[in-house]
Amino acid sequence: EVQLVESGGGLVKPGGSLRLSCAASGFTFSSYSMNWVRQAPGKGLEWVSSISSSSSYIYYADSVKGRFTISRDNAKNSLYLQMNSLRAEDTAVYYCAGESRGKFDYWGQGTLVTVSS
Amino acid sequence: QSVLTQPPSVSAAPGQKVTISCSGSSSNIGNNYVSWYQQLPGTAPKLLIYDNNKRPSGIPDRFSGSKSGTSATLGITGLQTGDEADYYCGTWDSSLSAERWVFGGGTKLTVL
């Protein structure tokens, strides 16, 4: 059974930092590009960042470029998102998603990040 | 403002058919495959359609997809109350200024 389990969310003050993790199992993690997609309360999906299977290619949404860093450890079947200089508008549920051949095959259950003073 | 444009909501009676449109441009839908995702209330999104019109295993053939030019359409026939959800289109967007994944703003389906 495929599982993606996010962790690391919580309440943080504006300007603070948080590191999200995503533990993968049930599929060949090292063969998939991995992504972070977020959803603000009551809003739609917003793609955040993507990392290729070997970490050769990394992309960010303009809204997080320079503040967020995506990384992965294929030996640990894990995906990470380091979030710095957090803003109120970063408040959202953050999903990790496995992507292959132009589709998001697998999604985690999400972890909530709340940025508030 | 989403790069891909979807109607905010659609509705139809049980057993009827509904279509959801997704409009983009040459930098996204016009040159890339479109996928569709279903998000039931309180749950994570789930892949519904990929490569414009293919269904993953386990997705009933009541769900279909098509693409023409810079627009895509999701169709659902034989509507059931369990189909009430938010539906999102998504694709890769590649322009001179950026490469990124983009989603539509989402369409809320109500089965009356």
Side-chain angles (χ1 to χ4, degrees):
Chain A
E1 180 196 4
V2 170
Q3 279 202 310
L4 289 171
V5 180
E6 302 93 337
S7 60
L11 175 64
V12 62
K13 289 181 168 53
S17 298
L18 216 52
R19 189 193 195 211
L20 305 184
S21 298
C22 173
S25 62
F27 67 104
T28 308
F29 180 77
S30 58
S31 296
Y32 279 72
S33 291
M34 295 299 296
N35 294 256
W36 290 98
V37 177
R38 68 185 181 184
Q39 186 170 35
K43 302 297 184 182
L45 302 176
E46 180 190 14
W47 171 79
V48 172
S49 182
S50 175
I51 185 169
S52 63
S53 57
S54 60
S55 303
S56 298
Y57 299 96
I58 288 176
Y59 304 95
Y60 296 99
D62 286 345
S63 57
V64 306
K65 202 173 292 183
R67 300 187 299 123
F68 290 11
T69 302
I70 191 172
S71 61
R72 65 189 295 164
D73 185 336
N74 286 344
K76 295 182 178 179
N77 286 351
S78 293
L79 174 72
Y80 307 101
L81 186 68
Q82 177 67 41
M83 304 187 296
N84 299 330
S85 304
L86 282 161
R87 307 166 179 166
E89 53 264 36
D90 296 318
T91 294
V93 173
Y94 285 73
Y95 296 101
C96 72
E99 174 221 329
S100 73
R101 299 182 183 180
K103 63 189 187 315
F104 293 98
D105 296 275
Y106 310 127
W107 296 74
Q109 85 290 348
T111 187
L112 176 63
V113 171
T114 303
V115 184
S116 174
S117 56
Chain B
Q1 188 94 0
S2 301
V3 173
L4 305 180
T5 302
Q6 296 181 234
S9 63
V10 295
S11 62
Q16 296 301 301
K17 172 184 176 178
V18 71
T19 60
I20 298 172
S21 60
C22 175
S23 178
S25 68
S26 59
S27 68
N28 42 67
I29 291 179
N31 282 286
N32 293 289
Y33 286 119
V34 176
S35 49
W36 289 88
Y37 303 86
Q38 177 192 58
Q39 188 176 32
L40 296 168
T43 70
K46 177 177 108 173
L47 178 65
L48 200 61
I49 295 288
Y50 67 97
D51 288 359
N52 303 330
N53 55 16
K54 295 183 174 64
R55 284 176 286 106
S57 61
I59 301 299
D61 59 7
R62 299 188 298 107
F63 295 90
S64 64
S66 64
K67 182 184 117 171
S68 178
T70 58
S71 293
T73 302
L74 173 70
I76 312 173
T77 60
L79 278 170
Q80 303 173 1
T81 55
D83 296 332
E84 284 203 338
D86 293 321
Y87 293 84
Y88 297 89
C89 57
T91 189
W92 185 252
D93 184 277
S94 183
S95 65
L96 289 175
S97 57
E99 292 195 77
R100 55 185 178 167
W101 272 96
V102 291
F103 291 101
T107 299
K108 182 176 183 60
L109 168 64
T110 301
V111 182
L112 303 167

